[in-house]
Amino acid sequence: MLARLAALMLCGVPLAVLAQAQPAADAVPTEPAPALRSSPRLQEVLPYGIRQQLPVFVRGDRVTGQPDIQATIEGNAELRRGDTVVHADRMQYDVADDRARASGNVLINRAGNRYEGSQLDLRVEAFTGFFSDARYRFLETAAHGEASRVDFLDRDRSVVHNATYTTCERTDEASWQPDWILRAERIHLDRVEDVGTAENGVLEFKGVPVLPIPHITFPLSDRRKSGLLPPTLGLDSVSGFEYAQPYYWNIAPNRDATITPTVMTRRGVALGTEFRYLEPRYSGELTADYMPNDRLRDRDRWAYGIKHRATFDTPAGGVGLGIDIKRVSDDNYWRDFSQRNSGRSGVNDQLTQRLLPGDATLNWARGEHSLLLRTLKWQTLQDVNAPIIPPYDRMPQLRWEYRPLQLAGGLDASVEADYTSFHADRAYTGQPNAKRSYTMAQVSRPFLAPAGFITPRVQLHSTHYEFDAPLANGQRTASRTLPTFSLDSGLVFERDARYFGRDFLQTLEPRAFYTYTPYRDQRLLPIYDTAVNDFNFASIYTENAFGGQDRLADNNLLTLGVTTRLLDPDTGAEAARFGVAQRVRFSDQEVTMPGGSPVNERLSDVLLGAGINWTPQWGFDSTVQYNPKTGRSLRTTVGARYSPGNYRTVSAAYRMQKVTGLITEPSEQIDVGWQWPLNDLWGDRGDKPSSAGGRWYSVGRLNYSLQDRKLVDTVVGLEYESCCWIGRVVLERLQRSVTSSNTRLMFQIEFIGFSRLSLGSNPLSSLKQNVPRYQFLRQSVSTPSRFTQYD
């Protein structure tokens, strides 16, 4: 106590804030007491203005010196100012220079970042000076290392000499060695940009030098930074050895770019770029790849993509603009570069499909009205061995919709008008191009009650075609006008129930849906945007069996169904769902797609569905299309998943589809996906590795065709997670066509908090895309508080 009092007396007001003496009973305060303001938490970052006013506290076993000039503290010396604390055996503090010189077991804790060493010379507020024989540990990344000297340039920048850097967890063993470590002549640390720069270094793994590093930058946090990204190495049987070196440019908080030069020994040199931008009203991405003189194809190869999204408020209403354009140089691009991944996740995938859109939309909305103007032109990459029919370009499409918000008598109504000019290569489509216009108006009157609903609806659909070539009957125009009536109704019953020791709210929801549309002969009308709706619980209660405007089914049918649900009475979460539905047809459906047969069965197949989510860990879902006459299922989908915790998930699905009047290609497949720690097999149930040992994970997805008796798609891999690095090896074989597939083997080692090295494409992209519910082993976490290591 005497030492503390002496320190306060010597250092004066600039060094400490003394407690005010209690005033006498008859004393009159000269000014009101300051108002107190509560705060839920302490400040993570101290503002500059407040920091300048903060006092300095010193204490120790023995304090000597002169007030407002200097203080010498010996034995358990401590200096504290704001978020900076200095401990030492002996310390001298000069008030005028704000300079602390310490020796013997020196420790600095600044906002959770810790430095230890033998000798310190530091200007406290400016945080300039040096530290000899230092050891350091950073709070945000848990990175640590040793250095012969640390030069503090200011509060955010420092230079570490003859330094080491690693994120491996240190143990108390004298023989401890990190799994990986960076040794460098100098490391520049910039906390403003959160970037470290190492010079004349070498990266060691398991005690073996693996990579000389003359110059490299690495992150000090999760913030984006400019610099070289980890390279990608690959070996392809066609393109040869491939080396891609991406460079990331952090232009601004809302703009960045990635530039990726690539060398392929058999093809040549390529350059890929990606530019992204984000503004309050618009955002987008621009991508481009260029390879001059591909030696295998003897031509230049290129690809580009443009995505732009924008919304604007105007006095006349809201306006939106959307652009999505993808183009490549030739028909073989998708085949030659389907496996490329130049460090930009998903970019090449967007440019290597066989159908590439050139889509631009401009929409306007105000109140009850909306307009849409669209142009869509496809680039179809044809294969002479497997040609595909290209979709129709829409050059242009204009649509107007009117949806009044309030109508008398509780009516709902809408009007939709559309004009589209369809164009495609007639050599593939085999039918004329056309200009099609249609108008669809509907009026309904919903009657809603807690126990059920009834909704009668009337629709009128009118369509007109103008063809650029005569139809089979010689006509160049065609028109069609059809009304549709439907009546949708349902009831909801509820009761309290208890199953397997658990309380539920059980519902019973019968539903009846009737629709009628008269017959019109539509056999001569070409198909531009129409397909058969899938037979499921979403489409069985709709008026038209076709999606699109080129076919209107002549329906006179009644759909009957019932669903029961088990709901959690407290949260309303659905624990189970069971449903059944079937159509009763009163007359044949004569309108079909080209080549289809009329539907004359009075009773449709039965649709059965079930979904069970008894606990958050388990999930089950199934849909069965059952034919009562044959007693066989025509289509079955059954899926289940088990996810008991992080990095533990197993999913399985069975899909079967037989030949029907609409399906000509039967299939039967089993799909299994998983991510699971192999350490569970020998009793290690932990979720995270430690310095004593890592954890092995198995991950993959298998898609097996029972009909062909072979694996269609295969992705299997192993991951090893240590305390400071992750290793991955993934084998991927994906079916590209009926007769060919792509196979690649990918390796990656990730040094946590430093960098990644990959051989082949990035396996993380493959795992995330193909394995259901896959989790990265090191998910991003929140920045730790400076009070985590508060001293």
Side-chain angles (χ1 to χ4, degrees), residues 751-772:
F751 303 106
I752 304 300
F754 183 64
S755 186
R756 291 186 187 131
L757 298 178
S758 299
L759 180 60
S761 298
N762 185 359
L764 282 175
S765 300
S766 176
L767 294 178
K768 193 66 177 177
Q769 180 179 355
N770 292 288
V771 180

Side-chain angles (χ1 to χ4, degrees), residues 432-437 463-480 521 524-526 528:
N433 300 316
K435 298 176 181 178
R436 187 192 70 191
S437 58
T463 311
H464 178 74
Y465 294 85
E466 295 182 3
F467 306 105
D468 65 353
L471 299 178
N473 60 0
Q475 295 182 353
R476 286 182 173 267
T477 63
S479 297
R480 177 194 60 196
D521 188 356
L524 296 180
L525 296 181
Y528 298 107

Side-chain angles (χ1 to χ4, degrees), residues 121-138:
D121 190 332
L122 180 70
R123 295 183 184 273
V124 179
E125 174 56 28
F127 212 79
T128 60
F130 71 89
F131 208 158
S132 299
D133 300 324
R135 298 182 300 276
Y136 57 90
R137 174 176 288 273
F138 298 131

